[in-house]
Amino acid sequence: MEKYRINGGSRLHGEVEISGAKNAAVAIIPAALLVDGVCRIENLPQISDTVTLLYILESLGATVRMINPSTVEIDCSHATWNGADYDRMRGIRASYYFVGSMLGRFGIARTTMPGGCNFGVRPIDQHVKGMNAMGADVQVTDFIDAEVPGRRLRGASIYLDKVSVGATMNIIIAAVLAEGRTVIENAAREPHIVDLANFLNSMGADVRGAGTDTVKINGVDRLHGGTYAIIPDQIEAGTYMAATAACGGEVLIRNVIPKHLDCITAKLREMGVTVEEYPESVLVRRDGRLRRANIKTQPYPGFPTDMQPQIGACLALAQGTSVITEGVWDNRYKYVNELRKMGAQIQVDGRVAVVEGVETLNGASVAACDLRAGAAMVIAGLAAQGITTVEDIHFIERGYQEFVGKLQLLGGDIHIIDVPEEPRRWAANAG
Ligand code: UD1
């Protein structure tokens, strides 16, 4: 069992290179199923979620060739919709994108219900509504089984009742090879949605308006192979910004699109952090104590929910009382219990957390409750006095490429330690 061991209290200094965007990659890999030919994807983040999705593609009959650690060539010419590695599918949220890509390519789909981080109820009704509107019958049990009579989806007008990243992306994927035009209204506008559309368009699709709340997809007969480079990860960049804010120091965060970081930059500036923007990097500097701020998470271009725990760790150390309002998920404060073990003063009531900033956090044994909660624990551990150990780091490795290595380069005293499993002395049948 591996853990992180962090000796906190060092300021961060140096440069860090941001990897490709997780939430773009996890849609683009399933969408590769639509491509008739070899598609080459560059700037692929080396994280366990992308590895899992590539295994799933292989289990469907695709040929997957790693050219180098961040470039993959995928050929789905001989792929099918049936017999996927359902165990792997069950472990990952983004497996729902295979519903869109299988329906688009084959007119029939079978996936498991998606797994991934648990932030409370994570319904998929808007995905189903979209597929239904395009002519698919969808049955949801432990599996998602979907089929289109005639085996080709038809374009449709779909109004999303909820602004959903996943439903917007899934419907775009499904609609690319459908007959006629699909219009998605009240669509999500995240940078990874634009990236998915750009990927599909570079392979011959006709997707317009991604990044606005109305996306129009004119169905085409086939997608051809090509090469595409994934955008930098907004949340990974934001996490290093938050780490610098919490620990103090000066870090140049490279390979970013500063515009995608606007909402994070604005909040950090409000908290007394200096952020200088350059064409493809941001320089983050923090000297004095952090100041309080209120945060409300919202769909893009609002403050991202996926940055809420990391900024929560910063606010735990800020001067004054901050209020966090979680506007996307019902249950995204599980990390607060862990932060309290380090001395944080945070009260949670439903979707609101009130944070009384303390001057120092103290090292403790904590767990990563999910991917971003885990990142928040690492940030808190780096900023705290003394030793912190973080368990369940497999959550963190789902979404951060070389997290430990990158933080070490910035001067963070963080290591992976291998802890032997407890002997099973107390097992039911012992003695
Ligand atoms: C994606 C991200 C996740 C991020 C979230 C919001 C991936 C793999 N995950 O998740 O990290 O926190 O966007 O930015 O990209 N909803 C419904 N019905 C649906 C779908 C969603 O009611 O059919 C609700 C959800 O319960 C939630 C809200 O809509 O309250 C937003 O969810 P959504 O944007 O779909 O999140 P995901 O795509 O699952």
Side-chain angles (χ1 to χ4, degrees):
M1 189 183 46
E2 290 185 334
K3 296 183 187 184
Y4 293 159
R5 182 180 190 278
I6 305 167
N7 187 3
S10 312
R11 294 163 75 80
L12 300 182
H13 284 279
E15 298 186 6
V16 61
E17 180 92 13
I18 298 306
S19 304
K22 165 187 170 283
N23 286 350
V26 299
I28 286 173
I29 295 171
L33 200 55
L34 300 169
V35 178
D36 190 3
V38 176
C39 85
R40 181 182 168 108
I41 304 169
E42 299 174 347
N43 206 29
L44 186 77
Q46 297 156 54
I47 51 178
S48 63
D49 268 15
T50 53
V51 172
T52 301
L53 287 164
L54 291 173
Y55 274 123
I56 295 172
L57 263 189
E58 263 189 349
S59 70
L60 289 165
T63 305
V64 175
R65 214 158 62 90
M66 290 310 298
I67 304 302
N68 61 49
S70 61
T71 303
V72 65
E73 280 186 0
I74 300 172
D75 182 354
C76 291
S77 314
H78 303 292
T80 175
W81 61 275
N82 205 352
D85 184 333
Y86 296 117
D87 286 338
R88 280 204 165 90
M89 272 188 170
R90 221 168 258 118
I92 187 168
R93 186 80 198 151
S95 57
Y96 52 33
Y97 294 129
F98 282 107
V99 178
S101 64
M102 287 177 182
L103 275 179
R105 164 122 183 233
F106 305 110
I108 183 165
R110 167 160 255 233
T111 70
T112 61
M113 275 299 277
C117 292
N118 177 4
F119 316 135
V121 184
R122 295 187 75 169
I124 56 160
D125 57 302
Q126 299 303 305
H127 301 239
V128 173
K129 172 176 160 170
M131 304 302 156
N132 285 157
M134 286 189 276
D137 296 321
V138 184
Q139 304 295 329
V140 180
T141 54
D142 263 3
F143 287 85
I144 305 173
D145 286 292
E147 190 166 357
V148 199
R151 293 287 165 97
R152 188 171 184 196
L153 292 165
R154 286 186 318 272
S157 279
I158 299 153
Y159 180 89
L160 294 180
D161 302 322
K162 200 81 192 253
V163 179
S164 159
V165 172
T168 303
M169 306 252 255
N170 220 349
I171 295 168
I172 292 174
I173 292 170
V176 157
L177 295 179
E179 194 180 332
R181 168 181 272 212
T182 299
V183 180
I184 311 171
E185 288 185 89
N186 200 27
R189 294 178 282 167
E190 269 66 3
H192 28 287
I193 293 173
V194 180
D195 207 41
L196 170 70
N198 288 342
F199 162 76
L200 291 166
N201 287 345
S202 75
M203 308 279 150
D206 184 356
V207 182
R208 300 170 188 208
T212 74
D213 60 8
T214 306
V215 183
K216 296 179 178 148
I217 307 112
N218 295 311
V220 296
D221 289 336
R222 70 176 280 268
L223 298 187
H224 51 73
T227 298
Y228 188 76
I230 292 175
I231 51 165
D233 196 303
Q234 173 206 28
I235 304 299
E236 189 195 13
T239 300
Y240 288 100
M241 293 170 83
T244 312
C247 297
E250 182 175 293
V251 174
L252 182 68
I253 300 170
R254 298 183 340 143
N255 185 34
V256 300
I257 299 174
K259 177 90 195 121
H260 294 168
L261 304 172
D262 276 354
C263 43
I264 304 166
T265 299
K267 258 316 144 191
L268 288 177
R269 283 181 177 155
E270 209 179 306
M271 293 164 67
V273 179
T274 303
V275 183
E276 290 173 18
E277 293 178 3
Y278 298 96
E280 291 182 1
S281 59
V282 287
L283 180 73
V284 182
R285 185 169 54 245
R286 201 270 286 168
D287 294 313
R289 185 156 176 214
L290 288 172
R291 293 196 295 265
R292 61 161 300 282
N294 293 339
I295 306 277
K296 181 167 178 17
T297 67
Q298 284 171 319
Y300 191 82
F303 191 89
T305 173
D306 287 355
M307 277 299 299
Q308 189 254 98
Q310 302 90 310
I311 215 79
C314 295
L315 293 174
L317 284 162
Q319 188 160 32
T321 305
S322 308
V323 178
I324 305 176
T325 309
E326 172 54 49
V328 178
W329 298 110
D330 287 332
N331 186 6
R332 205 156 190 181
Y333 289 121
K334 279 187 286 181
Y335 72 95
V336 164
N337 279 337
E338 303 302 300
L339 269 188
R340 283 197 192 116
K341 294 179 188 165
M342 303 176 76
Q345 302 275 325
I346 307 177
Q347 299 304 321
V348 176
D349 184 6
R351 286 184 169 214
V352 176
V354 178
V355 187
E356 302 281 352
V358 294
E359 223 154 295
T360 48
L361 293 174
N362 300 308
S365 284
V366 294
C369 310
D370 60 56
L371 167 58
R372 308 301 173 185
M377 287 309 120
V378 171
I379 291 173
L382 288 167
Q385 299 300 318
I387 305 292
T388 295
T389 53
V390 184
E391 283 182 16
D392 292 334
I393 58 172
H394 59 96
F395 282 118
I396 302 175
E397 291 174 354
R398 284 189 38 223
Y400 288 94
Q401 179 176 330
E402 294 163 44
F403 200 28
V404 168
K406 289 184 186 184
L407 286 167
Q408 283 173 344
L409 282 178
L410 298 177
D413 188 347
I414 173 169
H415 297 273
I416 300 179
I417 53 170
D418 213 340
V419 183
E421 301 278 352
E422 285 283 310
R424 294 176 58 82
R425 272 189 300 162
W426 309 113
N429 58 357

